[in-house]
Amino acid sequence: MRRPGLCRIVLILFFACGAPALFAQGFFGNLVWSFRGSMLVIPEDNGLEGDPMPILGSLGVSAAHPLGERLFFETSLDFYMTHYGFPDNAGRPYPYAEENRSTRVIGSVLGFQALYRRELGSSTWLRAYGGLAADLRLCLIAGGLEGADRDDAAKETSRTASYFWSKGRWLFPVAGAGMDFAASQKFLLGFDLRVWFPLYRLWSGESLPAVEGWRFAAGLRFTLR
């Protein structure tokens, strides 16, 4: 799998700048942990070439460190899985249903964002956040294929991985909002809405459908107090 040098540069700079704070006294003790389950929508408009747009289950975890009374720095990691194919007459991979698949994609969406939380009452909080996310997609040959079908799938999988890891297609600005409610003295229960922006469309030079690259998610969030 080909991975752009820019990805490594971004991660190296982040950890180089953030590592001293990670080991500061009391850092880990101040972390606020959250867990969420979401429905992830990846819209597409490929006509008869593609299958219906993927609506996927996604699980995630996040840790937020307070920077002030209402401001936090949050790191998150979300997982999803879906299938793709790369038709010969196409310049990019299309989402496919499982029966038509050639590639299984396991996505690990690593996010770094600033989070603002404001108390609306004694038991209700409003959240808003934004930052950058990297979709670290693992592209595998779909299971259950044999012979010529597997050989074709191997070629499509290689092309799919090259496409996703080139021209910064792994980088997505993200914004989100939600509300939390005190379910007990030990945890909060809330909802979460997020959108990821296809920034790479500004420089990739592709002629793409308007919805291509966008992502949306809605789900529930469980936060330890």
Side-chain angles (χ1 to χ4, degrees):
M1 181 187 305
R2 202 171 54 175
R3 297 181 178 174
L6 180 59
C7 178
R8 292 191 291 269
I9 292 172
V10 170
L11 294 178
I12 289 171
L13 287 176
F14 171 79
F15 286 111
C17 296
L22 290 175
F23 297 98
Q25 183 177 3
F27 180 89
F28 290 102
N30 290 329
L31 290 178
V32 179
W33 290 92
S34 297
F35 306 88
R36 61 188 165 209
S38 304
M39 296 304 297
L40 174 65
V41 178
I42 304 178
E44 62 93 22
D45 182 16
N46 298 306
L48 297 178
E49 289 289 346
D51 290 330
M53 67 179 182
I55 302 177
L56 314 166
S58 172
L59 295 175
V61 60
S62 65
H65 184 267
L67 302 177
E69 183 179 355
R70 297 175 178 173
L71 186 64
F72 297 78
F73 176 77
E74 183 178 63
T75 303
S76 63
L77 185 61
D78 293 88
F79 299 96
Y80 71 91
M81 185 180 70
T82 188
H83 295 92
Y84 279 85
F86 205 126
D88 291 336
N89 61 344
R92 57 189 170 84
Y94 294 163
Y96 274 7
E98 185 173 0
E99 59 269 21
N100 299 320
R101 85 286 188 202
S102 62
T103 303
R104 173 177 294 178
V105 172
I106 301 174
S108 303
V109 184
L110 179 64
F112 306 106
Q113 51 257 342
L115 184 150
Y116 175 81
R117 189 171 73 172
R118 182 182 181 88
E119 187 173 3
L120 299 180
S122 59
S123 60
T124 306
W125 290 262
L126 174 68
R127 272 182 291 104
Y129 53 90
L132 286 175
D135 190 354
L136 311 177
R137 283 171 281 206
L138 177 63
C139 299
L140 305 172
I141 300 173
L145 301 176
E146 299 179 356
D149 288 339
R150 182 175 177 83
D151 292 339
D152 290 341
K155 296 176 182 177
E156 292 189 32
T157 298
S158 178
R159 294 167 66 193
T160 297
S162 295
Y163 180 87
F164 283 148
W165 283 100
S166 64
K167 295 187 178 181
R169 295 186 182 96
W170 49 271
L171 183 64
F172 292 84
V174 60
M179 294 187 71
D180 296 307
F181 307 92
S184 74
Q185 292 183 345
K186 294 185 177 181
F187 69 89
L188 308 175
L189 186 62
F191 66 87
D192 210 36
L193 302 172
R194 287 175 288 168
V195 57
W196 291 264
F197 305 89
L199 184 66
Y200 65 87
R201 293 183 56 150
L202 296 178
W203 58 74
S204 66
E206 299 171 279
S207 178
L208 299 172
V211 299
E212 179 69 25
W214 291 85
R215 300 180 184 185
F216 306 92
L220 298 177
R221 179 171 170 131
F222 175 90
T223 302
L224 302 179
R225 303 182 70 176

